[in-house]
Amino acid sequence: MYSKVKDFLTDDDFINYVLGVVPQSVSKWEAYFKEHPDELADAEEAKAVLMAPTDVTCDFTMAESKELKDRIVSSIKDFSGIL
């Protein structure tokens, strides 16, 4: 179960869902939020961070931010090769 924005931001499946990389995951996440509506606010905040300009402030250290960015870019490259 997710309880923090950071949990969503470090979940590759959630990242791909937000970025629209894996359209099939939409129904999975919609079902998840129906079962866990209390986590929707954190998920929405995580979405805002993912979709925000690169100068957005969050609780990540510089190293964590770089690692997350590298994972996101890598995921997009991996999935773009499949599509």
Side-chain angles (χ1 to χ4, degrees), residues 12-47:
D12 289 334
D13 190 50
F14 180 78
I15 293 167
N16 290 327
Y17 156 69
V18 170
L19 298 178
V21 176
V22 184
Q24 304 89 315
S25 68
V26 172
S27 60
K28 172 191 168 187
W29 283 101
E30 287 176 352
Y32 180 84
F33 292 123
K34 282 184 181 180
E35 291 180 29
H36 305 281
D38 53 310
E39 297 181 21
L40 193 53
D42 288 337
E44 289 299 325
E45 189 173 338
K47 283 182 189 180

Side-chain angles (χ1 to χ4, degrees), residues 1-11 14-15 29 32-33 36 38-47 49-50 58-60 64 68:
M1 175 161 50
Y2 292 88
S3 60
K4 298 180 182 179
V5 173
K6 193 171 183 178
D7 293 335
F8 286 107
L9 289 172
T10 56
D11 183 307
F14 180 78
I15 293 167
W29 283 101
Y32 180 84
F33 292 123
H36 305 281
D38 53 310
E39 297 181 21
L40 193 53
D42 288 337
E44 289 299 325
E45 189 173 338
K47 283 182 189 180
V49 170
L50 289 169
C58 62
D59 291 338
F60 290 110
E64 289 174 322
L68 180 59

